[in-house]
Amino acid sequence: MPACPLCDTPGGTILWQDDFCRVVLADEPDYPGFLRVILVAHVKEMSDLAPADRERLLQAVLASEAALREVVAPDKINLASLGNLVPHLHWHVIPRFADDPHFPNPVWGARQRDTPRTAPPDLAARLAAALRQRLGPARETE
Amino acid sequence: MPACPLCDTPGGTILWQDDFCRVVLADEPDYPGFLRVILVAHVKEMSDLAPADRERLLQAVLASEAALREVVAPDKINLASLGNLVPHLHWHVIPRFADDPHFPNPVWGARQRDTPRTAPPDLAARLAAALRQRLGPARETE
């Protein structure tokens, strides 16, 4: 099996984790609050998971959506599980704003404008608290 | 409320439907088998749905993924709920192939190549059968 960046590295700043998955704040300067929900196990497709595990992963995705709506109040949430480059299950949970750099395109589409957006300094802490409120206490980072 | 294309039109060839959602074959010539799962109700975000309804919609999304894996055996499945242009819950369920026009980019990203891909003539019927097998009998189209 080739090296997998999501097996080998956190993939962002860990905001919440348990033994099953982690929620990380992605390093995406255009999109403060861009979250990724990453399965711990190296599995390719949702339909490769047992039903209970699909539900558990989607619960973390929807908790991430709800945390973003509470903390950054975006105009829209975008959810996606692609994995063409990294076939290890991970979900993008992206807060979108009508004036963001790609709106209304997907963030992978044609750029529409430059819109500097500054993350509030306590963004990670506020998202982590909103996640704990929905998902329970996080396992300590090693 | 402005006119909504997913309230007013099927959005594709209906392969399966009940009173809650429909699965349509999208008119995307580059991507035979591109499915969309469209909620009947005009609702914007997954977290606006009651938990049982979220689960029900995701069950249709994952049944669509499984049907595509059975019928077209793609190299990867892409799942996405964006809704920036049409804020009415719908999921893209996209069969991806390593030689398709955008791979490994998202289908909304930069085109990589032209790859004519012909849909088998019975694609819609085979997908509809695979969906019925997973979701039960479909309601008759009006």
Side-chain angles (χ1 to χ4, degrees), chain A residues 65-105:
Chain A
E65 168 177 319
L68 282 173
R69 292 182 76 181
E70 178 188 314
V71 173
V72 304
D75 294 318
K76 188 71 190 71
I77 291 284
N78 288 178
L79 302 176
S81 174
L82 308 176
N84 303 327
L85 279 168
V86 180
H88 175 138
L89 272 174
H90 61 285
W91 282 83
H92 307 274
V93 186
I94 314 170
R96 301 298 309 274
F97 291 90
D99 66 349
D100 76 30
H102 299 83
F103 201 90
N105 288 339

Side-chain angles (χ1 to χ4, degrees), chain A residues 18-32:
Chain A
D18 65 6
D19 294 331
F20 177 75
C21 72
R22 62 186 179 273
V23 183
V24 307
L25 184 59
D27 180 22
E28 298 281 354
D30 278 339
Y31 291 96

Side-chain angles (χ1 to χ4, degrees), chain B residues 59-71:
Chain B
Q59 193 178 6
V61 171
L62 295 181
S64 300
E65 167 177 320
L68 283 173
R69 292 183 76 181
E70 178 188 313
V71 173

Side-chain angles (χ1 to χ4, degrees), chain A residues 44-48 54-55 58 62 65-66 69 74-89 91 96 103-110, chain B residues 44-48 54-55 58 62 65-66 69 74-89 91 96 103-110:
Chain A
K44 185 170 167 181
E45 304 282 14
M46 287 298 286
S47 46
D48 292 330
R54 295 177 202 176
E55 200 174 321
L58 289 165
L62 295 180
E65 168 177 319
R69 292 182 76 181
D75 294 318
K76 188 71 190 71
I77 291 284
N78 288 178
L79 302 176
S81 174
L82 308 176
N84 303 327
L85 279 168
V86 180
H88 175 138
L89 272 174
W91 282 83
R96 301 298 309 274
F103 201 90
N105 288 339
V107 299
W108 307 281
Chain B
K44 185 171 168 180
E45 304 282 15
M46 287 298 286
S47 46
D48 292 329
R54 294 176 204 178
E55 200 173 321
L58 289 165
L62 295 181
E65 167 177 320
R69 292 183 76 181
D75 294 319
K76 188 71 190 71
I77 290 285
N78 288 178
L79 302 176
S81 174
L82 307 177
N84 303 327
L85 279 168
V86 181
H88 174 138
L89 272 174
W91 281 83
R96 301 299 308 274
F103 202 91
N105 288 339
V107 299
W108 307 281

Side-chain angles (χ1 to χ4, degrees), chain A residues 5 12 15 24 27 36-37 56 61 66 73 76-77 83 85 94 104 106-107 109 117 123 129 131:
Chain A
L15 300 184
V24 307
D27 180 22
R36 290 198 179 96
V37 180
R56 188 172 173 184
V61 171
K76 188 71 190 71
I77 291 284
L85 279 168
I94 314 170
V107 299
R117 193 174 292 277
L123 178 62
L131 287 165

Side-chain angles (χ1 to χ4, degrees), chain B residues 6-43:
Chain B
L6 295 182
C7 287
D8 297 340
T9 66
T13 304
I14 296 175
L15 299 185
W16 187 92
Q17 66 181 337
D18 65 5
D19 294 332
F20 176 75
C21 72
R22 61 187 179 273
V23 182
V24 307
L25 184 60
D27 181 21
E28 298 280 355
D30 279 339
Y31 291 96
F34 189 138
L35 299 180
R36 291 198 178 97
V37 181
I38 302 167
L39 189 72
V40 170
H42 186 83
V43 173

